[in-house]
Amino acid sequence: MLLEILTPERRIYSGDVYGVQLPGISGLFEVLNRHAPMVSALTKGQIKVLVNAKGSNNQLFSIEGGFVEILDNKATVLVEGASEEI
């Protein structure tokens, strides 16, 4: 699926991924390929980009909050205060 992580200033991630873990208001949740359409609010926490099914090369981003929209096998994450963790 295609994942885009956007801030008001710039795009911080864009690419095909296996899935993504997100900090929802009610707790962490994971979105994988062909997920049903949805919109959810996000809270302060970490986004974990699952680059492949083996779990290698994952990327982490810290966020202050935002929203995610899942539609047509694309996850668009709109966030504030995002930074990549090394």
Side-chain angles (χ1 to χ4, degrees):
M1 76 177 192
L2 177 63
L3 171 65
E4 287 193 327
I5 303 174
L6 310 168
T7 70
E9 295 82 30
R10 63 189 177 97
R11 179 183 308 156
I12 61 171
Y13 186 91
S14 181
D16 287 320
V17 298
Y18 173 73
V20 61
Q21 291 178 350
L22 301 156
I25 298 296
S26 299
L28 288 175
F29 65 97
E30 187 169 288
V31 176
L32 299 176
N33 196 32
R34 302 283 179 214
H35 195 283
M38 68 175 274
V39 173
S40 179
L42 303 176
T43 189
K44 182 177 182 174
Q46 287 185 330
I47 295 175
K48 185 175 185 179
V49 178
L50 308 171
V51 178
N52 57 50
K54 295 181 182 182
S56 59
N57 300 322
N58 292 339
Q59 290 183 263
L60 292 174
F61 298 90
S62 290
I63 64 166
E64 295 299 317
F67 295 90
V68 61
E69 176 191 52
I70 313 298
L71 185 63
D72 296 331
N73 211 35
K74 178 180 178 183
T76 305
V77 184
L78 308 171
V79 296
E80 288 284 338
S83 63
E84 184 172 8
E85 294 186 10
I86 300 173

